[in-house]
Amino acid sequence: MCSRLAAICQHVAATPTFSYVLSVSRMPTCTVSRDLKARIPALFNQQGFNVNEICGILDIKKTIVYQTLSYARAYGIPYNPHAHKPGRKRVLSPGDLKFIVALLNHRHCLYLDEIQKQLCNERGTSVSVTTLLSTLRRLHYSRKGVSSRALERDDLLRSAFMNRIADEVTNPDMLMFIDEAARNKRTSARTRGWSLVGKQCIQRRPFGRGQRFSILPILTLDGIITYDIIPGSVTSQRFLQFLRELVVRIFIYLFAQNVYLTQRIP
């Protein structure tokens, strides 16, 4: 082995046009999460395991165990809260983050450039759109589809209505709900599909809506008990006709069945 190393050194010395650099490769450092460090004081103090046993259970080094136990005795937590955080200093301060959260709580549909402009005008902080996007992800915000609610809706009146219905309707089986639905040729068209990367997702479908059909179902706790399909839109006269011909008849039939069952029960 020594003779081979000497031959390599002689070869390097005899070749002046090349320079050889011998580098020692280091193993990458493996960081231990805070959740795993939090188990060390519990295993040591509560369950009575020693340092060697903790190293075998958690598959970590003794230095981490001793360091974590010293932090737990000094600060009450398994890490040093005063340690310098690695990486570049964040551009946005905690006050800027609170401003962004308050801004999004007030207006959910803001664009990134609008948030950027508000930060510059109100806080005097200039950041890029990329920084704003990463900050929102760090704050656990994501962009979603908007669920609309009526601006005219009064929660107090809704609560009063629910309380009145609860007083008047003692049995939930008495409730019947009617809601109009409509369908045409474009109703079942899907807006999302699959295609290869870089290619459009093209689906041939009719652009014309075709004839419209309105559906009037009666929904109870047992499901849909009756319905009517009407070509075109539902007018007030057609709706009253639906109530007289289907809803009232079903209500009379159910009432008669209830009276009949009540009379047969001894």
Side-chain angles (χ1 to χ4, degrees), residues 221-237:
L221 294 181
D222 297 328
I224 297 177
I225 58 176
T226 186
Y227 63 92
D228 192 10
I229 299 177
I230 303 169
S233 301
V234 179
T235 61
S236 58
Q237 293 81 5

Side-chain angles (χ1 to χ4, degrees), residues 162-176:
M162 293 175 63
N163 292 332
R164 183 169 64 86
I165 292 297
D167 295 335
E168 295 178 357
V169 183
T170 57
N171 187 4
D173 293 329
M174 300 170 59
L175 294 173
M176 302 173 66

